[in-house]
Amino acid sequence: MPHSESPPESENSPIPMANVDQEQQNAVAESTTAQVPEAQQPADEDVDMADSNAVLSAPTNGTTHTSKSKAESQAETPNNQETPVPEAAASAPSESKPATGVKLEELFDEMDSDDDEFPTTKAAKREPASSPDLLSSQSDMEIDLHEASDPEVMRTFYQRLFPWRYLFQWLNHSPTPTNDFGHREFAFTLQNDAYLRYQSFTTSDLLRKDVLRLMPSRFEIGPVYTANPRDRKTLRNSSAFRPLSKELCFDIDLTDYDDIRTCCDKANICQKCWQFITMAIKVVDTALREDFGFKHIMWVYSGRRGAHAWVCDKSARALDDQKRRAIAGYLEVIRGGAQSGKKVNLRRPLHPHLVRSLDILKQHFQSDVLEAQDPWRTEDQQEKLLALLPSEQKQLVSALRNKWASSPDRPSALKWADIDSVAKTSTAKNFDTKSLLDAKQDIVLEYTYPRLDIEVSKKLNHLLKSPFVVHPGTGRVCVPIDVKRGLESFDPLGVPTVQSLIREIDEWKKPEPKEGGQEQEVEKHVVDWEKTSLKGYIEYFRSFVIGLMKDEREIKVKRERDEEGGGGGESMEF
């Protein structure tokens, strides 16, 4: 059972390992060593750089690609093997090699000022029809009619707005290319639903160029492997190709709340039911920081009805499958599907994590569940509530049912208050008030506690959609969420769409020139994403990356110092 132990205290033992039973561990070990038949693996032309042009020139009707479906592809698990780092990746030219003594903030400022990744359009000279790639020559109505998956719309987005360099810095953990990026797997979902796995790139520019050639509807990020994923079939020792590290990820989807949200269902969302995601982010983020000591956690809107967490600390990236499963189990409280009965069954006394979670969630339960969702208004709905009360308190349940039958439209907030008021007047002998209190706590957790897709968190080699890609169904960009400053005010329906961003570039007007002839300098520094509502999200992502890189550098310097200090001669005994 989860939450039977106190949170971990040491870095060497980052998680309560008692949460993982032996059968689960064996299942993970078997799944990570299972070999997929060669016939099911992607064809060489789908993964080898030399044949990428052949893929591009093929018709996009879905008949010429030999790559397998996404579900089959993600099920493939590489064999374990070790191979030397390719010299080409190690000696790749640096796109952004910092000068000695230059601060990271200054390095990023220098990147922004002169970079082909973020083209700068000069408003004074720009003519709407001058750039065939930018759809600025079209009217607002014509732009809105373009679907988000339209190749020309996506080309404009990837060419003008996507933060390629910051994505590289985030995954590379250094300004200069390393194997953290070069051996990282990327997977592309093409317009014809072909799914290309085991793509890899030494620099952000190569990734950008390949995306512009392939024009995928989205791309996903996988783990860092022991060797270049493109070379996995050329290795002599096939058991040496295995995943080394990846961010610890969490996935929250509103469809998992369909049995308790009354405002929407399936893929539909509104601001009311988005509060379930807000509650979940608060609880999970707090636990990851306070119970496990993680610091660099980035939450990203999924583009439609959910959110993803990327835990980027070095210690989190190095977790094996067993430890990832333990953390996922530690955070898992809701068990069972939509048709199951009571989904929360907890030991008492409650684990400190759950006590803290109840403190976070109790205010949301009153306003965002009882009042906004009104989950027990109908007779069928109120029966669900009565079924969650202690089974031995039949007199209480009967009294509540009779009371509510006389007031069919009684709101859920009053029905919740009725439980205590009727219990106080109970004439039953040996009425167990503690069991009623425990049941009410379980109900609060069932209606507010995070409902995680645990499978996303368990496996080191699981792929997850990249931040800043465009959701093909909604057109919304998968933007990061500033948990500290903007979680409560975040509006998923107000997230910019790729169509609106294109229009914002066209409508942008340059600032008035400052006195002293500063006009040219102002124009030089205004890149296209700074002209749009994407600016705040990219600036937040940039600051997150800077903080992560600073910590990575400090860890590296400390390790080098420890190695130098501990590598001397024999110790002297007194």
Side-chain angles (χ1 to χ4, degrees):
M1 286 288 293
H3 313 295
S4 59
E5 301 184 8
S6 300
E9 298 181 357
S10 67
E11 185 175 352
N12 294 331
S13 181
I15 49 183
M17 298 309 297
N19 291 327
V20 183
D21 58 271
Q22 189 60 42
E23 291 182 2
Q24 291 176 322
Q25 295 179 26
N26 294 337
V28 172
E30 292 174 2
S31 65
T32 54
T33 57
Q35 185 172 357
V36 178
E38 186 69 16
Q40 294 183 8
Q41 295 179 350
D44 290 342
E45 61 267 25
D46 292 336
V47 295
D48 294 337
M49 178 67 92
D51 293 332
S52 61
N53 291 332
V55 175
L56 290 165
S57 60
T60 57
N61 57 7
T63 60
T64 59
H65 288 282
T66 57
S67 58
K68 53 182 173 284
S69 68
K70 179 176 177 179
E72 294 172 331
S73 182
Q74 288 206 19
E76 178 180 352
T77 304
N79 300 321
N80 297 333
Q81 69 176 335
E82 181 88 28
T83 189
V85 177
E87 296 182 2
S91 60
S94 170
E95 290 184 333
S96 55
K97 187 174 182 180
T100 304
V102 178
K103 296 181 178 179
L104 280 174
E105 292 86 344
E106 297 174 356
L107 174 65
F108 274 77
D109 291 338
E110 182 179 348
M111 291 176 191
D112 293 343
S113 62
D114 185 15
D115 190 352
D116 290 338
E117 291 180 8
F118 302 129
T120 303
T121 55
K122 297 184 178 181
K125 298 180 180 179
R126 177 171 52 85
E127 297 179 3
S130 62
S131 175
D133 292 327
L134 182 63
L135 302 179
S136 58
S137 60
Q138 304 177 4
S139 66
D140 292 352
M141 183 177 297
E142 289 173 324
I143 291 175
D144 290 335
L145 289 175
H146 277 277
E147 295 184 359
S149 58
D150 185 287
E152 288 306 310
V153 173
M154 295 308 302
R155 186 181 303 279
T156 300
F157 176 77
Y158 285 132
Q159 213 166 33
R160 312 297 292 272
L161 296 168
F162 194 92
W164 295 107
R165 189 178 295 278
Y166 301 155
L167 184 84
F168 169 79
Q169 302 284 0
W170 170 50
L171 298 174
N172 188 65
H173 314 114
S174 171
T176 56
T178 68
N179 286 340
D180 281 1
F181 190 83
H183 288 181
R184 172 85 67 162
E185 178 189 359
F186 292 88
F188 296 150
T189 302
L190 303 186
Q191 299 290 340
N192 63 350
D193 290 333
Y195 191 66
L196 308 184
R197 281 198 63 179
Y198 300 111
Q199 308 298 293
S200 60
F201 310 90
T202 55
T203 67
S204 62
D205 189 54
L206 291 176
L207 170 61
R208 174 178 178 266
K209 288 177 180 178
D210 222 31
V211 168
L212 288 173
R213 288 197 303 267
L214 290 169
M215 293 311 303
S217 57
R218 74 179 193 183
F219 62 88
E220 297 174 331
I221 298 171
V224 178
Y225 284 90
T226 51
N228 190 320
R230 291 183 184 270
D231 299 334
R232 72 191 189 286
K233 291 185 178 181
T234 65
L235 301 174
R236 294 182 178 179
N237 183 4
S238 59
S239 64
F241 184 73
R242 56 185 176 82
L244 281 179
S245 64
K246 181 183 174 289
E247 293 76 11
L248 175 63
C249 296
F250 296 91
D251 181 14
I252 310 168
D253 196 307
L254 274 175
T255 54
D256 293 325
Y257 293 80
D258 279 356
D259 62 317
I260 59 174
R261 59 173 178 158
T262 60
C263 53
C264 307
D265 64 352
K266 299 180 180 178
N268 302 309
I269 67 167
C270 68
Q271 194 62 35
K272 284 184 179 180
C273 55
W274 182 258
Q275 296 310 308
F276 287 113
I277 301 295
T278 301
M279 302 177 214
I281 291 176
K282 285 184 178 180
V283 170
V284 174
D285 191 82
T286 301
L288 292 173
R289 295 180 190 277
E290 296 187 7
D291 297 349
F292 297 97
F294 297 132
K295 178 181 177 182
H296 301 284
I297 306 170
M298 181 173 65
W299 289 89
V300 180
Y301 172 48
S302 69
R304 172 169 277 175
R305 58 178 183 266
H308 301 152
W310 296 78
V311 186
C312 305
D313 300 62
K314 191 176 183 67
S315 58
R317 302 198 308 268
L319 293 172
D320 58 24
D321 284 350
Q322 182 179 349
K323 292 184 175 66
R324 289 169 190 262
R325 292 179 63 188
I327 293 178
Y330 177 86
L331 294 172
E332 186 180 22
V333 170
I334 309 295
R335 299 177 184 273
Q339 302 303 320
S340 61
K342 197 170 186 289
K343 296 183 177 64
V344 176
N345 295 278
L346 298 171
R347 296 177 181 175
R348 263 48 182 199
L350 289 177
H351 188 282
H353 159 63
L354 293 176
V355 174
R356 182 186 58 220
S357 297
L358 279 170
D359 289 339
I360 295 173
L361 296 169
K362 60 185 179 183
Q363 183 176 353
H364 286 282
F365 178 73
Q366 182 65 38
S367 59
D368 296 322
V369 176
L370 296 182
E371 297 174 10
Q373 296 294 331
D374 197 5
W376 308 309
R377 176 174 285 275
T378 69
E379 184 177 352
D380 289 342
Q381 291 170 336
Q382 73 184 28
E383 286 299 320
K384 293 182 180 179
L385 172 61
L386 294 175
L388 297 176
L389 297 177
S391 57
E392 65 272 12
Q393 298 186 6
K394 297 179 180 179
Q395 183 177 344
L396 172 64
V397 171
S398 178
L400 288 171
R401 184 179 288 114
N402 293 334
K403 181 180 180 66
W404 296 342
S406 62
S407 302
D409 295 328
R410 193 169 181 80
S412 298
L414 293 181
K415 289 180 178 178
W416 180 252
D418 288 341
I419 296 175
D420 285 341
S421 62
V422 173
K424 290 178 181 178
T425 61
S426 175
T427 58
K429 296 181 179 180
N430 300 322
F431 184 82
D432 192 347
T433 56
K434 185 179 183 306
S435 67
L436 179 60
L437 174 62
D438 292 347
K440 291 186 65 179
Q441 289 179 337
D442 289 352
I443 292 171
V444 171
L445 290 172
E446 182 162 332
Y447 279 78
T448 58
Y449 191 86
R451 300 186 173 204
L452 302 173
D453 184 352
I454 296 298
E455 297 306 316
V456 172
S457 309
K458 287 181 177 180
K459 303 296 285 293
L460 181 63
N461 65 343
H462 195 285
L463 294 100
L464 192 63
K465 182 167 53 180
S466 169
F468 289 102
V469 299
V470 176
H471 191 289
T474 64
R476 299 190 193 110
V477 181
C478 299
V479 295
I481 302 171
D482 188 343
V483 174
K484 292 183 179 179
R485 299 179 181 87
L487 177 59
E488 295 284 355
S489 60
F490 182 82
D491 179 10
L493 302 179
V495 168
T497 64
V498 63
Q499 298 96 325
S500 68
L501 292 170
I502 292 172
R503 186 166 56 250
E504 288 173 14
I505 295 176
D506 185 45
E507 295 173 349
W508 181 84
K509 295 181 180 180
K510 68 176 182 178
E512 292 294 328
K514 298 179 181 179
E515 296 182 3
Q518 300 293 325
E519 180 176 356
Q520 185 175 0
E521 182 178 349
V522 170
E523 289 186 25
K524 180 180 178 182
H525 286 83
V526 180
V527 294
D528 279 337
W529 58 262
E530 292 181 298
K531 304 171 186 177
T532 72
S533 52
L534 204 59
K535 178 180 178 181
Y537 300 107
I538 293 182
E539 287 178 341
Y540 169 73
F541 183 48
R542 172 182 178 271
S543 65
F544 178 87
V545 174
I546 290 176
L548 176 62
M549 290 175 62
K550 280 184 175 179
D551 275 10
E552 292 282 333
R553 185 173 60 180
E554 291 173 1
I555 292 173
K556 182 179 180 181
V557 170
K558 183 178 183 300
R559 183 174 64 248
E560 291 174 350
R561 288 176 178 173
D562 291 343
E563 290 175 353
E564 292 176 358
E570 298 180 359
S571 59
M572 182 178 295
E573 296 182 0
F574 292 91

PDB file of all heavy atoms in Angstrom, residues 549-565:
ATOM      1  N   MET A 549      20.751  24.710 -16.077  1.00  0.00           N
ATOM      2  CA  MET A 549      22.138  24.659 -16.531  1.00  0.00           C
ATOM      3  C   MET A 549      23.107  25.138 -15.452  1.00  0.00           C
ATOM      4  O   MET A 549      24.215  24.627 -15.329  1.00  0.00           O
ATOM      5  CB  MET A 549      22.290  25.485 -17.808  1.00  0.00           C
ATOM      6  CG  MET A 549      21.615  24.863 -19.026  1.00  0.00           C
ATOM      7  SD  MET A 549      21.672  25.926 -20.481  1.00  0.00           S
ATOM      8  CE  MET A 549      23.439  26.050 -20.738  1.00  0.00           C
ATOM      9  N   LYS A 550      22.696  26.114 -14.664  1.00  0.00           N
ATOM     10  CA  LYS A 550      23.555  26.578 -13.569  1.00  0.00           C
ATOM     11  C   LYS A 550      23.801  25.464 -12.563  1.00  0.00           C
ATOM     12  O   LYS A 550      24.936  25.232 -12.131  1.00  0.00           O
ATOM     13  CB  LYS A 550      22.891  27.776 -12.866  1.00  0.00           C
ATOM     14  CG  LYS A 550      23.060  29.096 -13.588  1.00  0.00           C
ATOM     15  CD  LYS A 550      22.450  30.229 -12.773  1.00  0.00           C
ATOM     16  CE  LYS A 550      22.707  31.578 -13.423  1.00  0.00           C
ATOM     17  NZ  LYS A 550      22.093  32.693 -12.660  1.00  0.00           N
ATOM     18  N   ASP A 551      22.749  24.767 -12.199  1.00  0.00           N
ATOM     19  CA  ASP A 551      22.909  23.668 -11.246  1.00  0.00           C
ATOM     20  C   ASP A 551      23.743  22.537 -11.830  1.00  0.00           C
ATOM     21  O   ASP A 551      24.548  21.917 -11.125  1.00  0.00           O
ATOM     22  CB  ASP A 551      21.537  23.146 -10.821  1.00  0.00           C
ATOM     23  CG  ASP A 551      20.952  23.958  -9.680  1.00  0.00           C
ATOM     24  OD1 ASP A 551      21.518  25.012  -9.355  1.00  0.00           O
ATOM     25  OD2 ASP A 551      19.909  23.547  -9.118  1.00  0.00           O
ATOM     26  N   GLU A 552      23.535  22.239 -13.115  1.00  0.00           N
ATOM     27  CA  GLU A 552      24.329  21.193 -13.757  1.00  0.00           C
ATOM     28  C   GLU A 552      25.816  21.553 -13.739  1.00  0.00           C
ATOM     29  O   GLU A 552      26.671  20.705 -13.494  1.00  0.00           O
ATOM     30  CB  GLU A 552      23.864  20.996 -15.203  1.00  0.00           C
ATOM     31  CG  GLU A 552      22.470  20.405 -15.330  1.00  0.00           C
ATOM     32  CD  GLU A 552      22.436  18.918 -15.086  1.00  0.00           C
ATOM     33  OE1 GLU A 552      23.454  18.255 -15.321  1.00  0.00           O
ATOM     34  OE2 GLU A 552      21.367  18.415 -14.666  1.00  0.00           O
ATOM     35  N   ARG A 553      26.121  22.811 -13.996  1.00  0.00           N
ATOM     36  CA  ARG A 553      27.515  23.249 -14.001  1.00  0.00           C
ATOM     37  C   ARG A 553      28.122  23.170 -12.600  1.00  0.00           C
ATOM     38  O   ARG A 553      29.274  22.758 -12.423  1.00  0.00           O
ATOM     39  CB  ARG A 553      27.611  24.674 -14.542  1.00  0.00           C
ATOM     40  CG  ARG A 553      29.042  25.182 -14.694  1.00  0.00           C
ATOM     41  CD  ARG A 553      29.072  26.525 -15.392  1.00  0.00           C
ATOM     42  NE  ARG A 553      28.331  27.534 -14.652  1.00  0.00           N
ATOM     43  CZ  ARG A 553      28.203  28.804 -15.061  1.00  0.00           C
ATOM     44  NH1 ARG A 553      28.724  29.168 -16.214  1.00  0.00           N
ATOM     45  NH2 ARG A 553      27.512  29.657 -14.345  1.00  0.00           N
ATOM     46  N   GLU A 554      27.342  23.570 -11.579  1.00  0.00           N
ATOM     47  CA  GLU A 554      27.838  23.511 -10.209  1.00  0.00           C
ATOM     48  C   GLU A 554      28.105  22.075  -9.777  1.00  0.00           C
ATOM     49  O   GLU A 554      29.089  21.785  -9.088  1.00  0.00           O
ATOM     50  CB  GLU A 554      26.833  24.178  -9.271  1.00  0.00           C
ATOM     51  CG  GLU A 554      26.743  25.691  -9.454  1.00  0.00           C
ATOM     52  CD  GLU A 554      25.620  26.303  -8.640  1.00  0.00           C
ATOM     53  OE1 GLU A 554      24.922  25.540  -7.923  1.00  0.00           O
ATOM     54  OE2 GLU A 554      25.424  27.525  -8.718  1.00  0.00           O
ATOM     55  N   ILE A 555      27.225  21.163 -10.184  1.00  0.00           N
ATOM     56  CA  ILE A 555      27.422  19.753  -9.847  1.00  0.00           C
ATOM     57  C   ILE A 555      28.698  19.228 -10.504  1.00  0.00           C
ATOM     58  O   ILE A 555      29.483  18.497  -9.886  1.00  0.00           O
ATOM     59  CB  ILE A 555      26.199  18.921 -10.303  1.00  0.00           C
ATOM     60  CG1 ILE A 555      24.978  19.287  -9.461  1.00  0.00           C
ATOM     61  CG2 ILE A 555      26.489  17.425 -10.208  1.00  0.00           C
ATOM     62  CD1 ILE A 555      23.688  18.642  -9.934  1.00  0.00           C
ATOM     63  N   LYS A 556      28.916  19.617 -11.752  1.00  0.00           N
ATOM     64  CA  LYS A 556      30.101  19.164 -12.477  1.00  0.00           C
ATOM     65  C   LYS A 556      31.370  19.708 -11.828  1.00  0.00           C
ATOM     66  O   LYS A 556      32.353  18.982 -11.633  1.00  0.00           O
ATOM     67  CB  LYS A 556      30.028  19.623 -13.931  1.00  0.00           C
ATOM     68  CG  LYS A 556      31.199  19.171 -14.779  1.00  0.00           C
ATOM     69  CD  LYS A 556      31.048  19.636 -16.220  1.00  0.00           C
ATOM     70  CE  LYS A 556      32.234  19.185 -17.063  1.00  0.00           C
ATOM     71  NZ  LYS A 556      32.111  19.654 -18.470  1.00  0.00           N
ATOM     72  N   VAL A 557      31.368  20.992 -11.459  1.00  0.00           N
ATOM     73  CA  VAL A 557      32.541  21.595 -10.822  1.00  0.00           C
ATOM     74  C   VAL A 557      32.820  20.928  -9.479  1.00  0.00           C
ATOM     75  O   VAL A 557      33.970  20.624  -9.139  1.00  0.00           O
ATOM     76  CB  VAL A 557      32.326  23.109 -10.640  1.00  0.00           C
ATOM     77  CG1 VAL A 557      33.427  23.709  -9.764  1.00  0.00           C
ATOM     78  CG2 VAL A 557      32.297  23.809 -11.996  1.00  0.00           C
ATOM     79  N   LYS A 558      31.766  20.662  -8.695  1.00  0.00           N
ATOM     80  CA  LYS A 558      31.948  20.028  -7.390  1.00  0.00           C
ATOM     81  C   LYS A 558      32.524  18.624  -7.545  1.00  0.00           C
ATOM     82  O   LYS A 558      33.417  18.217  -6.782  1.00  0.00           O
ATOM     83  CB  LYS A 558      30.604  19.965  -6.657  1.00  0.00           C
ATOM     84  CG  LYS A 558      30.690  19.388  -5.251  1.00  0.00           C
ATOM     85  CD  LYS A 558      29.324  19.399  -4.580  1.00  0.00           C
ATOM     86  CE  LYS A 558      29.414  18.895  -3.148  1.00  0.00           C
ATOM     87  NZ  LYS A 558      29.925  17.510  -3.074  1.00  0.00           N
ATOM     88  N   ARG A 559      32.033  17.880  -8.545  1.00  0.00           N
ATOM     89  CA  ARG A 559      32.531  16.528  -8.760  1.00  0.00           C
ATOM     90  C   ARG A 559      34.002  16.551  -9.155  1.00  0.00           C
ATOM     91  O   ARG A 559      34.804  15.738  -8.676  1.00  0.00           O
ATOM     92  CB  ARG A 559      31.701  15.839  -9.843  1.00  0.00           C
ATOM     93  CG  ARG A 559      32.115  14.392 -10.080  1.00  0.00           C
ATOM     94  CD  ARG A 559      31.188  13.679 -11.041  1.00  0.00           C
ATOM     95  NE  ARG A 559      31.247  14.275 -12.363  1.00  0.00           N
ATOM     96  CZ  ARG A 559      30.251  14.938 -12.925  1.00  0.00           C
ATOM     97  NH1 ARG A 559      29.125  15.121 -12.261  1.00  0.00           N
ATOM     98  NH2 ARG A 559      30.368  15.435 -14.140  1.00  0.00           N
ATOM     99  N   GLU A 560      34.387  17.507 -10.016  1.00  0.00           N
ATOM    100  CA  GLU A 560      35.781  17.615 -10.435  1.00  0.00           C
ATOM    101  C   GLU A 560      36.684  17.964  -9.260  1.00  0.00           C
ATOM    102  O   GLU A 560      37.788  17.438  -9.125  1.00  0.00           O
ATOM    103  CB  GLU A 560      35.904  18.656 -11.549  1.00  0.00           C
ATOM    104  CG  GLU A 560      35.262  18.222 -12.871  1.00  0.00           C
ATOM    105  CD  GLU A 560      35.281  19.324 -13.903  1.00  0.00           C
ATOM    106  OE1 GLU A 560      35.610  20.480 -13.529  1.00  0.00           O
ATOM    107  OE2 GLU A 560      34.974  19.044 -15.071  1.00  0.00           O
ATOM    108  N   ARG A 561      36.188  18.853  -8.383  1.00  0.00           N
ATOM    109  CA  ARG A 561      36.978  19.211  -7.203  1.00  0.00           C
ATOM    110  C   ARG A 561      37.150  18.028  -6.269  1.00  0.00           C
ATOM    111  O   ARG A 561      38.222  17.794  -5.705  1.00  0.00           O
ATOM    112  CB  ARG A 561      36.318  20.373  -6.464  1.00  0.00           C
ATOM    113  CG  ARG A 561      36.429  21.709  -7.183  1.00  0.00           C
ATOM    114  CD  ARG A 561      35.659  22.782  -6.441  1.00  0.00           C
ATOM    115  NE  ARG A 561      35.790  24.077  -7.085  1.00  0.00           N
ATOM    116  CZ  ARG A 561      35.104  25.160  -6.727  1.00  0.00           C
ATOM    117  NH1 ARG A 561      34.252  25.083  -5.713  1.00  0.00           N
ATOM    118  NH2 ARG A 561      35.269  26.302  -7.372  1.00  0.00           N
ATOM    119  N   ASP A 562      36.071  17.265  -6.083  1.00  0.00           N
ATOM    120  CA  ASP A 562      36.148  16.096  -5.206  1.00  0.00           C
ATOM    121  C   ASP A 562      37.117  15.063  -5.759  1.00  0.00           C
ATOM    122  O   ASP A 562      37.869  14.435  -4.999  1.00  0.00           O
ATOM    123  CB  ASP A 562      34.757  15.473  -5.046  1.00  0.00           C
ATOM    124  CG  ASP A 562      33.805  16.354  -4.253  1.00  0.00           C
ATOM    125  OD1 ASP A 562      34.308  17.272  -3.574  1.00  0.00           O
ATOM    126  OD2 ASP A 562      32.587  16.133  -4.337  1.00  0.00           O
ATOM    127  N   GLU A 563      37.107  14.888  -7.080  1.00  0.00           N
ATOM    128  CA  GLU A 563      38.018  13.929  -7.697  1.00  0.00           C
ATOM    129  C   GLU A 563      39.460  14.379  -7.549  1.00  0.00           C
ATOM    130  O   GLU A 563      40.349  13.567  -7.287  1.00  0.00           O
ATOM    131  CB  GLU A 563      37.664  13.750  -9.178  1.00  0.00           C
ATOM    132  CG  GLU A 563      36.340  13.020  -9.396  1.00  0.00           C
ATOM    133  CD  GLU A 563      35.962  12.962 -10.854  1.00  0.00           C
ATOM    134  OE1 GLU A 563      36.677  13.615 -11.679  1.00  0.00           O
ATOM    135  OE2 GLU A 563      34.968  12.304 -11.194  1.00  0.00           O
ATOM    136  N   GLU A 564      39.708  15.682  -7.707  1.00  0.00           N
ATOM    137  CA  GLU A 564      41.070  16.196  -7.554  1.00  0.00           C
ATOM    138  C   GLU A 564      41.538  16.084  -6.110  1.00  0.00           C
ATOM    139  O   GLU A 564      42.674  15.714  -5.829  1.00  0.00           O
ATOM    140  CB  GLU A 564      41.129  17.650  -8.013  1.00  0.00           C
ATOM    141  CG  GLU A 564      40.934  17.818  -9.511  1.00  0.00           C
ATOM    142  CD  GLU A 564      40.911  19.281  -9.910  1.00  0.00           C
ATOM    143  OE1 GLU A 564      41.015  20.137  -9.001  1.00  0.00           O
ATOM    144  OE2 GLU A 564      40.772  19.563 -11.114  1.00  0.00           O
ATOM    145  N   GLY A 565      40.619  16.386  -5.168  1.00  0.00           N
ATOM    146  CA  GLY A 565      40.997  16.348  -3.760  1.00  0.00           C
ATOM    147  C   GLY A 565      41.183  14.954  -3.222  1.00  0.00           C
ATOM    148  O   GLY A 565      41.986  14.716  -2.329  1.00  0.00           O
TER     149      GLY A 565
END
